[in-house]
Structures are given as structure tokens and as C-alpha cells.
Short mmCIF file of all heavy atoms in Angstrom, two decimals:
data_model
loop_
_atom_site.label_atom_id
_atom_site.label_comp_id
_atom_site.label_asym_id
_atom_site.label_seq_id
_atom_site.Cartn_x
_atom_site.Cartn_y
_atom_site.Cartn_z
N MET A 1099 -17.96 14.79 -26.86
CA MET A 1099 -17.49 14.14 -25.62
C MET A 1099 -15.98 14.19 -25.54
O MET A 1099 -15.26 13.91 -26.46
CB MET A 1099 -17.91 12.68 -25.65
CG MET A 1099 -19.42 12.50 -25.63
SD MET A 1099 -19.90 10.77 -25.55
CE MET A 1099 -21.68 10.94 -25.73
N SER A 1100 -15.49 14.55 -24.38
CA SER A 1100 -14.04 14.63 -24.23
C SER A 1100 -13.52 13.41 -23.49
O SER A 1100 -14.27 12.74 -22.81
CB SER A 1100 -13.65 15.89 -23.43
OG SER A 1100 -14.02 15.76 -22.11
N MET A 1101 -12.26 13.14 -23.68
CA MET A 1101 -11.66 11.97 -23.09
C MET A 1101 -10.93 12.30 -21.79
O MET A 1101 -10.37 11.43 -21.15
CB MET A 1101 -10.69 11.31 -24.05
CG MET A 1101 -11.36 10.82 -25.31
SD MET A 1101 -12.48 9.44 -24.98
CE MET A 1101 -11.27 8.15 -24.65
N ASP A 1102 -10.89 13.57 -21.43
CA ASP A 1102 -10.14 13.91 -20.22
C ASP A 1102 -11.05 13.77 -19.00
O ASP A 1102 -12.22 13.51 -19.09
CB ASP A 1102 -9.60 15.33 -20.34
CG ASP A 1102 -10.75 16.34 -20.60
OD1 ASP A 1102 -11.55 16.60 -19.69
OD2 ASP A 1102 -10.86 16.76 -21.76
N GLY A 1103 -10.40 13.86 -17.86
CA GLY A 1103 -11.13 13.73 -16.60
C GLY A 1103 -11.55 12.34 -16.28
O GLY A 1103 -12.53 12.09 -15.61
N ARG A 1104 -10.76 11.38 -16.77
CA ARG A 1104 -11.14 9.98 -16.51
C ARG A 1104 -11.00 9.66 -15.04
O ARG A 1104 -10.11 10.08 -14.35
CB ARG A 1104 -10.22 9.08 -17.32
CG ARG A 1104 -8.77 9.20 -16.89
CD ARG A 1104 -7.88 8.21 -17.71
NE ARG A 1104 -6.48 8.36 -17.33
CZ ARG A 1104 -6.00 7.72 -16.25
NH1 ARG A 1104 -6.76 6.97 -15.50
NH2 ARG A 1104 -4.71 7.87 -15.94
N GLY A 1105 -11.96 8.88 -14.53
CA GLY A 1105 -11.88 8.44 -13.16
C GLY A 1105 -12.10 9.56 -12.15
O GLY A 1105 -11.84 9.36 -10.98
N THR A 1106 -12.59 10.70 -12.55
CA THR A 1106 -12.82 11.77 -11.63
C THR A 1106 -14.20 11.63 -10.98
O THR A 1106 -15.21 11.71 -11.65
CB THR A 1106 -12.76 13.13 -12.32
OG1 THR A 1106 -11.48 13.28 -12.94
CG2 THR A 1106 -12.92 14.24 -11.36
N SER A 1107 -14.17 11.40 -9.71
CA SER A 1107 -15.43 11.23 -9.00
C SER A 1107 -15.87 12.55 -8.37
O SER A 1107 -15.11 13.51 -8.31
CB SER A 1107 -15.28 10.19 -7.93
OG SER A 1107 -14.47 10.68 -6.87
N ALA A 1108 -17.10 12.58 -7.94
CA ALA A 1108 -17.59 13.80 -7.28
C ALA A 1108 -16.77 14.08 -6.02
O ALA A 1108 -16.51 15.23 -5.71
CB ALA A 1108 -19.09 13.61 -6.94
N LEU A 1109 -16.37 13.05 -5.34
CA LEU A 1109 -15.59 13.23 -4.12
C LEU A 1109 -14.24 13.83 -4.44
O LEU A 1109 -13.76 14.69 -3.70
CB LEU A 1109 -15.43 11.87 -3.44
CG LEU A 1109 -14.80 11.91 -2.04
CD1 LEU A 1109 -15.67 12.76 -1.13
CD2 LEU A 1109 -14.67 10.52 -1.48
N ASP A 1110 -13.65 13.39 -5.51
CA ASP A 1110 -12.36 13.98 -5.91
C ASP A 1110 -12.48 15.52 -6.20
O ASP A 1110 -11.65 16.26 -5.78
CB ASP A 1110 -11.81 13.28 -7.15
CG ASP A 1110 -11.31 11.91 -6.79
OD1 ASP A 1110 -10.98 11.64 -5.66
OD2 ASP A 1110 -11.26 11.07 -7.74
N ARG A 1111 -13.58 15.84 -6.88
CA ARG A 1111 -13.76 17.25 -7.16
C ARG A 1111 -13.99 18.06 -5.91
O ARG A 1111 -13.52 19.17 -5.80
CB ARG A 1111 -14.92 17.39 -8.15
CG ARG A 1111 -14.54 16.97 -9.59
CD ARG A 1111 -15.46 17.55 -10.59
NE ARG A 1111 -16.83 17.02 -10.43
CZ ARG A 1111 -17.27 15.89 -10.97
NH1 ARG A 1111 -16.44 15.17 -11.72
NH2 ARG A 1111 -18.48 15.48 -10.80
N LEU A 1112 -14.74 17.49 -5.01
CA LEU A 1112 -15.01 18.19 -3.75
C LEU A 1112 -13.76 18.38 -2.99
O LEU A 1112 -13.49 19.45 -2.44
CB LEU A 1112 -16.04 17.41 -2.91
CG LEU A 1112 -17.48 17.50 -3.41
CD1 LEU A 1112 -18.34 16.50 -2.66
CD2 LEU A 1112 -18.01 18.89 -3.17
N ARG A 1113 -12.95 17.36 -2.97
CA ARG A 1113 -11.69 17.46 -2.20
C ARG A 1113 -10.77 18.50 -2.81
O ARG A 1113 -10.16 19.28 -2.11
CB ARG A 1113 -10.99 16.11 -2.25
CG ARG A 1113 -9.73 16.14 -1.36
CD ARG A 1113 -9.15 14.76 -1.25
NE ARG A 1113 -7.97 14.78 -0.39
CZ ARG A 1113 -7.29 13.70 -0.06
NH1 ARG A 1113 -7.65 12.53 -0.49
NH2 ARG A 1113 -6.24 13.79 0.72
N ALA A 1114 -10.75 18.56 -4.14
CA ALA A 1114 -9.93 19.57 -4.80
C ALA A 1114 -10.41 20.94 -4.48
O ALA A 1114 -9.62 21.87 -4.28
CB ALA A 1114 -9.95 19.34 -6.31
N ARG A 1115 -11.71 21.11 -4.39
CA ARG A 1115 -12.28 22.41 -4.05
C ARG A 1115 -11.91 22.84 -2.66
O ARG A 1115 -11.55 23.97 -2.39
CB ARG A 1115 -13.79 22.39 -4.26
CG ARG A 1115 -14.42 23.77 -4.32
CD ARG A 1115 -15.84 23.73 -4.71
NE ARG A 1115 -16.68 23.17 -3.61
CZ ARG A 1115 -17.93 22.79 -3.80
NH1 ARG A 1115 -18.45 22.81 -5.00
NH2 ARG A 1115 -18.62 22.33 -2.81
N TYR A 1116 -12.02 21.91 -1.72
CA TYR A 1116 -11.67 22.20 -0.35
C TYR A 1116 -10.19 22.47 -0.19
O TYR A 1116 -9.79 23.29 0.63
CB TYR A 1116 -12.10 21.08 0.57
CG TYR A 1116 -13.59 20.98 0.76
CD1 TYR A 1116 -14.27 19.81 0.63
CD2 TYR A 1116 -14.31 22.14 1.05
CE1 TYR A 1116 -15.65 19.74 0.79
CE2 TYR A 1116 -15.67 22.10 1.21
CZ TYR A 1116 -16.32 20.91 1.11
OH TYR A 1116 -17.67 20.87 1.24
N ASP A 1117 -9.40 21.79 -1.02
CA ASP A 1117 -7.97 22.06 -0.93
C ASP A 1117 -7.67 23.52 -1.26
O ASP A 1117 -6.81 24.15 -0.69
CB ASP A 1117 -7.24 21.16 -1.92
CG ASP A 1117 -6.95 19.79 -1.29
OD1 ASP A 1117 -7.03 19.69 -0.04
OD2 ASP A 1117 -6.63 18.86 -2.02
N GLN A 1118 -8.40 24.03 -2.21
CA GLN A 1118 -8.20 25.44 -2.59
C GLN A 1118 -8.68 26.37 -1.49
O GLN A 1118 -8.00 27.36 -1.13
CB GLN A 1118 -8.95 25.72 -3.87
CG GLN A 1118 -8.33 25.08 -5.07
CD GLN A 1118 -8.97 25.54 -6.37
OE1 GLN A 1118 -10.16 25.86 -6.40
NE2 GLN A 1118 -8.22 25.52 -7.45
N GLU A 1119 -9.83 26.07 -0.93
CA GLU A 1119 -10.38 26.97 0.10
C GLU A 1119 -9.47 26.96 1.33
O GLU A 1119 -9.34 27.97 2.03
CB GLU A 1119 -11.75 26.45 0.54
CG GLU A 1119 -12.79 26.70 -0.56
CD GLU A 1119 -14.19 26.42 -0.05
OE1 GLU A 1119 -14.37 26.25 1.17
OE2 GLU A 1119 -15.05 26.34 -0.89
N ALA A 1120 -8.82 25.83 1.62
CA ALA A 1120 -8.00 25.71 2.82
C ALA A 1120 -6.80 26.61 2.77
O ALA A 1120 -6.17 26.87 3.79
CB ALA A 1120 -7.56 24.29 3.02
N ARG A 1121 -6.47 27.11 1.64
CA ARG A 1121 -5.24 27.91 1.52
C ARG A 1121 -5.36 29.25 2.19
O ARG A 1121 -4.37 29.90 2.49
CB ARG A 1121 -4.89 28.06 0.03
CG ARG A 1121 -4.41 26.72 -0.52
CD ARG A 1121 -4.15 26.82 -2.03
NE ARG A 1121 -3.73 25.51 -2.54
CZ ARG A 1121 -3.60 25.27 -3.84
NH1 ARG A 1121 -3.80 26.22 -4.73
NH2 ARG A 1121 -3.27 24.09 -4.25
N VAL A 1122 -6.57 29.72 2.35
CA VAL A 1122 -6.77 31.01 3.05
C VAL A 1122 -7.58 30.78 4.29
O VAL A 1122 -8.73 30.36 4.23
CB VAL A 1122 -7.47 32.05 2.12
CG1 VAL A 1122 -7.67 33.33 2.85
CG2 VAL A 1122 -6.68 32.24 0.84
N CYS A 1123 -6.95 31.09 5.45
CA CYS A 1123 -7.67 30.94 6.73
C CYS A 1123 -8.77 31.93 6.85
O CYS A 1123 -8.55 33.13 6.65
CB CYS A 1123 -6.64 31.08 7.83
SG CYS A 1123 -7.45 31.01 9.49
N PRO A 1124 -9.99 31.50 7.22
CA PRO A 1124 -11.09 32.44 7.34
C PRO A 1124 -10.99 33.31 8.64
O PRO A 1124 -11.63 34.31 8.79
CB PRO A 1124 -12.32 31.51 7.48
CG PRO A 1124 -11.76 30.22 8.01
CD PRO A 1124 -10.39 30.12 7.41
N GLU A 1125 -10.06 32.88 9.54
CA GLU A 1125 -9.93 33.64 10.75
C GLU A 1125 -8.88 34.74 10.67
O GLU A 1125 -9.11 35.87 11.07
CB GLU A 1125 -9.50 32.68 11.90
CG GLU A 1125 -10.61 31.66 12.23
CD GLU A 1125 -11.82 32.33 12.85
OE1 GLU A 1125 -11.68 33.38 13.49
OE2 GLU A 1125 -12.94 31.83 12.62
N CYS A 1126 -7.74 34.41 10.13
CA CYS A 1126 -6.62 35.39 10.14
C CYS A 1126 -6.19 35.75 8.72
O CYS A 1126 -5.39 36.68 8.53
CB CYS A 1126 -5.42 34.84 10.93
SG CYS A 1126 -4.60 33.45 10.13
N GLY A 1127 -6.72 35.04 7.73
CA GLY A 1127 -6.36 35.39 6.36
C GLY A 1127 -5.04 34.82 5.93
O GLY A 1127 -4.54 35.14 4.82
N PHE A 1128 -4.42 34.01 6.73
CA PHE A 1128 -3.16 33.44 6.38
C PHE A 1128 -3.29 32.47 5.17
O PHE A 1128 -4.18 31.60 5.17
CB PHE A 1128 -2.56 32.66 7.57
CG PHE A 1128 -1.25 31.97 7.27
CD1 PHE A 1128 -0.06 32.72 7.28
CD2 PHE A 1128 -1.18 30.63 7.00
CE1 PHE A 1128 1.15 32.10 7.03
CE2 PHE A 1128 0.01 30.01 6.72
CZ PHE A 1128 1.17 30.77 6.72
N GLU A 1129 -2.43 32.60 4.24
CA GLU A 1129 -2.52 31.74 3.04
C GLU A 1129 -1.59 30.54 3.23
O GLU A 1129 -0.38 30.64 3.21
CB GLU A 1129 -2.12 32.52 1.80
CG GLU A 1129 -2.30 31.73 0.52
CD GLU A 1129 -2.10 32.55 -0.70
OE1 GLU A 1129 -1.91 33.75 -0.58
OE2 GLU A 1129 -2.09 31.98 -1.81
N ASP A 1130 -2.19 29.41 3.46
CA ASP A 1130 -1.46 28.18 3.72
C ASP A 1130 -1.28 27.41 2.43
O ASP A 1130 -2.08 26.50 2.12
CB ASP A 1130 -2.19 27.38 4.78
CG ASP A 1130 -1.43 26.13 5.21
OD1 ASP A 1130 -0.21 26.07 4.82
OD2 ASP A 1130 -1.98 25.25 5.85
N GLU A 1131 -0.29 27.79 1.69
CA GLU A 1131 -0.11 27.16 0.37
C GLU A 1131 0.22 25.70 0.45
O GLU A 1131 -0.09 24.90 -0.43
CB GLU A 1131 1.02 27.87 -0.41
CG GLU A 1131 0.65 29.31 -0.72
CD GLU A 1131 1.69 29.95 -1.63
OE1 GLU A 1131 2.46 29.25 -2.22
OE2 GLU A 1131 1.73 31.19 -1.69
N ALA A 1132 0.90 25.29 1.54
CA ALA A 1132 1.27 23.88 1.69
C ALA A 1132 0.25 23.09 2.45
O ALA A 1132 0.40 21.91 2.64
CB ALA A 1132 2.64 23.81 2.38
N GLY A 1133 -0.76 23.78 2.89
CA GLY A 1133 -1.76 23.11 3.74
C GLY A 1133 -2.67 22.21 2.91
O GLY A 1133 -2.82 22.36 1.71
N SER A 1134 -3.28 21.30 3.63
CA SER A 1134 -4.23 20.42 2.97
C SER A 1134 -5.24 19.94 4.02
O SER A 1134 -4.95 19.99 5.23
CB SER A 1134 -3.58 19.22 2.32
OG SER A 1134 -2.90 18.47 3.30
N TRP A 1135 -6.34 19.45 3.57
CA TRP A 1135 -7.35 18.91 4.49
C TRP A 1135 -6.96 17.53 4.91
O TRP A 1135 -6.54 16.70 4.10
CB TRP A 1135 -8.69 18.90 3.82
CG TRP A 1135 -9.22 20.26 3.56
CD1 TRP A 1135 -9.03 21.00 2.41
CD2 TRP A 1135 -10.04 21.05 4.40
NE1 TRP A 1135 -9.69 22.20 2.55
CE2 TRP A 1135 -10.31 22.29 3.72
CE3 TRP A 1135 -10.55 20.86 5.71
CZ2 TRP A 1135 -11.06 23.27 4.32
CZ3 TRP A 1135 -11.34 21.88 6.25
CH2 TRP A 1135 -11.61 23.07 5.56
N ARG A 1136 -7.19 17.26 6.17
CA ARG A 1136 -7.07 15.86 6.63
C ARG A 1136 -8.42 15.22 6.51
O ARG A 1136 -9.42 15.72 7.03
CB ARG A 1136 -6.60 15.84 8.07
CG ARG A 1136 -5.26 16.53 8.26
CD ARG A 1136 -4.73 16.41 9.67
NE ARG A 1136 -4.46 15.04 10.03
CZ ARG A 1136 -3.86 14.68 11.17
NH1 ARG A 1136 -3.52 15.60 12.02
NH2 ARG A 1136 -3.63 13.42 11.42
N VAL A 1137 -8.45 14.15 5.78
CA VAL A 1137 -9.73 13.52 5.47
C VAL A 1137 -9.94 12.26 6.31
O VAL A 1137 -9.06 11.43 6.37
CB VAL A 1137 -9.78 13.19 3.93
CG1 VAL A 1137 -11.15 12.59 3.59
CG2 VAL A 1137 -9.50 14.41 3.16
N GLN A 1138 -11.08 12.23 6.93
CA GLN A 1138 -11.45 11.02 7.68
C GLN A 1138 -12.83 10.54 7.24
O GLN A 1138 -13.80 11.33 7.26
CB GLN A 1138 -11.45 11.35 9.18
CG GLN A 1138 -11.82 10.13 10.04
CD GLN A 1138 -11.86 10.50 11.54
OE1 GLN A 1138 -11.85 11.68 11.87
NE2 GLN A 1138 -11.95 9.49 12.37
N THR A 1139 -12.89 9.31 6.88
CA THR A 1139 -14.18 8.79 6.42
C THR A 1139 -14.74 7.85 7.45
O THR A 1139 -14.09 6.96 7.96
CB THR A 1139 -13.98 8.00 5.09
OG1 THR A 1139 -13.33 8.84 4.14
CG2 THR A 1139 -15.30 7.56 4.55
N THR A 1140 -15.97 8.08 7.80
CA THR A 1140 -16.66 7.20 8.77
C THR A 1140 -18.00 6.81 8.19
O THR A 1140 -18.97 7.56 8.26
CB THR A 1140 -16.90 7.98 10.08
OG1 THR A 1140 -17.69 9.13 9.86
CG2 THR A 1140 -15.58 8.37 10.73
N GLY A 1141 -18.04 5.66 7.58
CA GLY A 1141 -19.30 5.19 7.03
C GLY A 1141 -19.73 6.03 5.87
O GLY A 1141 -19.14 6.08 4.81
N SER A 1142 -20.85 6.79 6.11
CA SER A 1142 -21.47 7.55 5.02
C SER A 1142 -21.08 9.03 5.09
O SER A 1142 -21.60 9.82 4.37
CB SER A 1142 -22.96 7.43 5.09
OG SER A 1142 -23.45 7.90 6.32
N ARG A 1143 -20.10 9.32 5.98
CA ARG A 1143 -19.74 10.74 6.08
C ARG A 1143 -18.25 10.91 5.94
O ARG A 1143 -17.44 10.04 6.34
CB ARG A 1143 -20.17 11.31 7.46
CG ARG A 1143 -21.68 11.41 7.57
CD ARG A 1143 -22.09 12.07 8.84
NE ARG A 1143 -23.55 12.11 8.98
CZ ARG A 1143 -24.19 12.60 10.01
NH1 ARG A 1143 -23.49 13.08 11.03
NH2 ARG A 1143 -25.50 12.62 10.02
N VAL A 1144 -17.85 12.06 5.40
CA VAL A 1144 -16.45 12.36 5.20
C VAL A 1144 -16.15 13.66 5.95
O VAL A 1144 -16.79 14.67 5.74
CB VAL A 1144 -16.10 12.54 3.74
CG1 VAL A 1144 -14.60 12.85 3.59
CG2 VAL A 1144 -16.45 11.26 2.96
N TYR A 1145 -15.20 13.60 6.85
CA TYR A 1145 -14.83 14.79 7.62
C TYR A 1145 -13.58 15.38 7.06
O TYR A 1145 -12.56 14.69 6.88
CB TYR A 1145 -14.57 14.41 9.08
CG TYR A 1145 -15.81 13.97 9.83
CD1 TYR A 1145 -16.31 12.67 9.71
CD2 TYR A 1145 -16.54 14.89 10.59
CE1 TYR A 1145 -17.43 12.28 10.36
CE2 TYR A 1145 -17.69 14.47 11.23
CZ TYR A 1145 -18.15 13.19 11.12
OH TYR A 1145 -19.29 12.79 11.77
N TYR A 1146 -13.61 16.68 6.84
CA TYR A 1146 -12.45 17.39 6.35
C TYR A 1146 -11.97 18.31 7.50
O TYR A 1146 -12.77 19.11 8.00
CB TYR A 1146 -12.74 18.25 5.13
CG TYR A 1146 -13.03 17.43 3.93
CD1 TYR A 1146 -14.31 16.90 3.67
CD2 TYR A 1146 -12.04 17.20 2.98
CE1 TYR A 1146 -14.58 16.18 2.55
CE2 TYR A 1146 -12.27 16.47 1.83
CZ TYR A 1146 -13.56 15.94 1.61
OH TYR A 1146 -13.83 15.21 0.52
N ARG A 1147 -10.72 18.23 7.84
CA ARG A 1147 -10.20 19.06 8.91
C ARG A 1147 -8.96 19.78 8.47
O ARG A 1147 -8.14 19.25 7.77
CB ARG A 1147 -9.90 18.22 10.16
CG ARG A 1147 -11.14 17.68 10.82
CD ARG A 1147 -10.79 17.08 12.17
NE ARG A 1147 -11.98 16.65 12.89
CZ ARG A 1147 -12.54 15.44 12.75
NH1 ARG A 1147 -11.97 14.56 11.97
NH2 ARG A 1147 -13.61 15.09 13.41
N HIS A 1148 -8.88 21.03 8.89
CA HIS A 1148 -7.69 21.82 8.52
C HIS A 1148 -7.29 22.69 9.72
O HIS A 1148 -8.13 23.25 10.38
CB HIS A 1148 -7.97 22.74 7.35
CG HIS A 1148 -6.80 23.64 6.96
ND1 HIS A 1148 -6.79 24.97 7.29
CD2 HIS A 1148 -5.66 23.34 6.38
CE1 HIS A 1148 -5.65 25.46 6.87
NE2 HIS A 1148 -4.95 24.53 6.33
N LEU A 1149 -5.97 22.69 9.99
CA LEU A 1149 -5.45 23.48 11.12
C LEU A 1149 -4.56 24.58 10.57
O LEU A 1149 -3.58 24.31 9.88
CB LEU A 1149 -4.68 22.57 12.06
CG LEU A 1149 -4.03 23.29 13.25
CD1 LEU A 1149 -5.10 23.81 14.21
CD2 LEU A 1149 -3.13 22.31 13.99
N CYS A 1150 -4.94 25.82 10.86
CA CYS A 1150 -4.17 26.95 10.42
C CYS A 1150 -2.84 26.99 11.15
O CYS A 1150 -2.84 27.04 12.38
CB CYS A 1150 -4.96 28.25 10.61
SG CYS A 1150 -4.02 29.71 10.18
N PRO A 1151 -1.70 27.03 10.44
CA PRO A 1151 -0.41 27.04 11.07
C PRO A 1151 -0.08 28.40 11.68
O PRO A 1151 0.86 28.56 12.43
CB PRO A 1151 0.58 26.69 9.94
CG PRO A 1151 -0.15 27.12 8.73
CD PRO A 1151 -1.61 26.96 8.98
N SER A 1152 -0.88 29.41 11.37
CA SER A 1152 -0.59 30.74 11.84
C SER A 1152 -1.34 31.08 13.13
O SER A 1152 -0.73 31.51 14.09
CB SER A 1152 -0.98 31.78 10.75
OG SER A 1152 -0.73 33.08 11.18
N CYS A 1153 -2.63 30.86 13.15
CA CYS A 1153 -3.40 31.19 14.34
C CYS A 1153 -3.99 30.00 15.06
O CYS A 1153 -4.53 30.09 16.13
CB CYS A 1153 -4.54 32.15 13.94
SG CYS A 1153 -5.87 31.36 12.99
N GLY A 1154 -3.84 28.80 14.48
CA GLY A 1154 -4.28 27.59 15.12
C GLY A 1154 -5.76 27.36 15.00
O GLY A 1154 -6.33 26.48 15.63
N SER A 1155 -6.43 28.16 14.16
CA SER A 1155 -7.87 27.95 13.97
C SER A 1155 -8.15 26.66 13.22
O SER A 1155 -7.50 26.33 12.22
CB SER A 1155 -8.42 29.14 13.14
OG SER A 1155 -9.76 28.95 12.86
N ARG A 1156 -9.10 25.92 13.72
CA ARG A 1156 -9.47 24.67 13.10
C ARG A 1156 -10.72 24.80 12.28
O ARG A 1156 -11.70 25.42 12.74
CB ARG A 1156 -9.67 23.60 14.18
CG ARG A 1156 -8.38 23.11 14.72
CD ARG A 1156 -8.64 22.08 15.84
NE ARG A 1156 -9.30 22.70 16.97
CZ ARG A 1156 -9.64 22.03 18.06
NH1 ARG A 1156 -9.40 20.76 18.17
NH2 ARG A 1156 -10.24 22.65 19.07
N SER A 1157 -10.69 24.26 11.12
CA SER A 1157 -11.88 24.21 10.25
C SER A 1157 -12.30 22.77 10.06
O SER A 1157 -11.48 21.90 9.82
CB SER A 1157 -11.54 24.88 8.88
OG SER A 1157 -11.17 26.20 9.08
N THR A 1158 -13.56 22.53 10.21
CA THR A 1158 -14.08 21.19 10.00
C THR A 1158 -15.30 21.26 9.09
O THR A 1158 -16.20 22.08 9.33
CB THR A 1158 -14.50 20.58 11.33
OG1 THR A 1158 -13.34 20.54 12.20
CG2 THR A 1158 -14.98 19.12 11.14
N ARG A 1159 -15.32 20.41 8.14
CA ARG A 1159 -16.47 20.33 7.29
C ARG A 1159 -16.89 18.84 7.15
O ARG A 1159 -16.04 17.98 7.17
CB ARG A 1159 -16.23 20.90 5.90
CG ARG A 1159 -15.81 22.36 6.02
CD ARG A 1159 -15.63 23.02 4.72
NE ARG A 1159 -15.03 24.33 4.90
CZ ARG A 1159 -15.05 25.31 3.99
NH1 ARG A 1159 -15.68 25.07 2.88
NH2 ARG A 1159 -14.54 26.46 4.22
N VAL A 1160 -18.16 18.65 7.01
CA VAL A 1160 -18.66 17.26 6.92
C VAL A 1160 -19.42 17.11 5.64
O VAL A 1160 -20.28 17.94 5.30
CB VAL A 1160 -19.58 16.94 8.13
CG1 VAL A 1160 -20.04 15.47 8.04
CG2 VAL A 1160 -18.87 17.22 9.43
N LEU A 1161 -19.07 16.07 4.93
CA LEU A 1161 -19.80 15.75 3.72
C LEU A 1161 -20.53 14.43 3.91
O LEU A 1161 -19.99 13.52 4.53
CB LEU A 1161 -18.83 15.63 2.54
CG LEU A 1161 -18.20 16.87 1.98
CD1 LEU A 1161 -17.29 16.51 0.83
CD2 LEU A 1161 -19.25 17.80 1.51
N ARG A 1162 -21.72 14.39 3.40
CA ARG A 1162 -22.47 13.16 3.45
C ARG A 1162 -22.41 12.50 2.09
O ARG A 1162 -22.75 13.08 1.10
CB ARG A 1162 -23.92 13.39 3.82
CG ARG A 1162 -24.06 13.64 5.33
CD ARG A 1162 -25.53 13.83 5.67
NE ARG A 1162 -26.11 15.03 5.00
CZ ARG A 1162 -27.36 15.41 5.08
NH1 ARG A 1162 -28.20 14.68 5.77
NH2 ARG A 1162 -27.73 16.46 4.46
N LEU A 1163 -21.93 11.28 2.09
CA LEU A 1163 -21.81 10.56 0.83
C LEU A 1163 -23.20 10.14 0.33
O LEU A 1163 -24.10 9.94 1.07
CB LEU A 1163 -20.94 9.30 0.99
CG LEU A 1163 -19.47 9.61 1.40
CD1 LEU A 1163 -18.71 8.31 1.53
CD2 LEU A 1163 -18.83 10.53 0.41
N GLY A 1164 -23.27 10.04 -0.99
CA GLY A 1164 -24.52 9.65 -1.56
C GLY A 1164 -25.52 10.73 -1.72
O GLY A 1164 -26.69 10.50 -2.12
N GLY A 1165 -25.12 11.96 -1.42
CA GLY A 1165 -26.04 13.05 -1.51
C GLY A 1165 -26.20 13.56 -2.93
O GLY A 1165 -27.31 13.61 -3.48
N SER A 1166 -25.08 13.89 -3.56
CA SER A 1166 -25.19 14.47 -4.91
C SER A 1166 -24.12 13.91 -5.78
O SER A 1166 -23.34 14.62 -6.40
CB SER A 1166 -25.09 16.00 -4.85
OG SER A 1166 -23.82 16.35 -4.26
N ARG A 1167 -23.98 12.60 -5.83
CA ARG A 1167 -22.95 11.99 -6.62
C ARG A 1167 -23.37 11.99 -8.10
O ARG A 1167 -24.54 11.74 -8.39
CB ARG A 1167 -22.70 10.59 -6.15
CG ARG A 1167 -23.93 9.73 -6.23
CD ARG A 1167 -23.80 8.51 -5.30
NE ARG A 1167 -22.73 7.60 -5.81
CZ ARG A 1167 -22.45 6.46 -5.22
NH1 ARG A 1167 -23.12 6.07 -4.15
NH2 ARG A 1167 -21.48 5.69 -5.69
N ASP A 1168 -22.43 12.26 -8.94
CA ASP A 1168 -22.76 12.25 -10.36
C ASP A 1168 -21.78 11.41 -11.16
O ASP A 1168 -21.62 11.58 -12.35
CB ASP A 1168 -22.84 13.68 -10.89
CG ASP A 1168 -21.53 14.38 -10.71
OD1 ASP A 1168 -20.57 13.81 -10.15
OD2 ASP A 1168 -21.42 15.53 -11.13
N ASP A 1169 -21.07 10.59 -10.42
CA ASP A 1169 -20.13 9.68 -11.13
C ASP A 1169 -20.88 8.46 -11.60
O ASP A 1169 -22.04 8.26 -11.27
CB ASP A 1169 -18.99 9.29 -10.22
CG ASP A 1169 -19.45 8.62 -8.95
OD1 ASP A 1169 -20.26 9.27 -8.24
OD2 ASP A 1169 -19.06 7.48 -8.65
N GLU A 1170 -20.19 7.61 -12.32
CA GLU A 1170 -20.83 6.42 -12.91
C GLU A 1170 -21.94 6.80 -13.87
O GLU A 1170 -23.11 6.71 -13.54
CB GLU A 1170 -21.38 5.52 -11.84
CG GLU A 1170 -20.29 4.98 -10.92
CD GLU A 1170 -19.48 3.86 -11.53
OE1 GLU A 1170 -20.04 2.98 -12.21
OE2 GLU A 1170 -18.26 3.92 -11.39
ZN1 ZN B 1927 -5.51 31.41 10.71
#
């Protein structure tokens, strides 16, 4: 058992993964190194939104909480 990764929830890992994906726009291929997802939580759903600074393409993803949590 390792002692690292304390307090890392499934949501944190998902957010980190989306942060990486957001760096490359699926529309124009622009690499947005400084970009990040805007996160909005509404009840049991989490909305991730990203706006490409190059072409203005918007990406939206929706996560449903309680689906595949493996924390605790
Ligand atoms: Zn783009």
C-alpha cells in the first residue's frame, strides 16, 4: 500500500483527465496549454465546458455523479 494520492477522489481524477484533453481542440487542433475546463455542478451532474481560443469551438461534457465512484 502506498501513502501517496491522499484525498484523490474519482472526480479529481476525471477533472485532471479532461484538463489534458482540453489542451488540443478537436476542431482545429489548437493546443491550448493555458486552457482549462469550466466546471459547473448542478445537483447530480457536473458540466465541463471549454472554449477554444483559436476557433471558438465549444466543448461540453456531462458527468453524472454517483456513477462510478471509487473513493472512500
Ligand atoms: Zn479550435
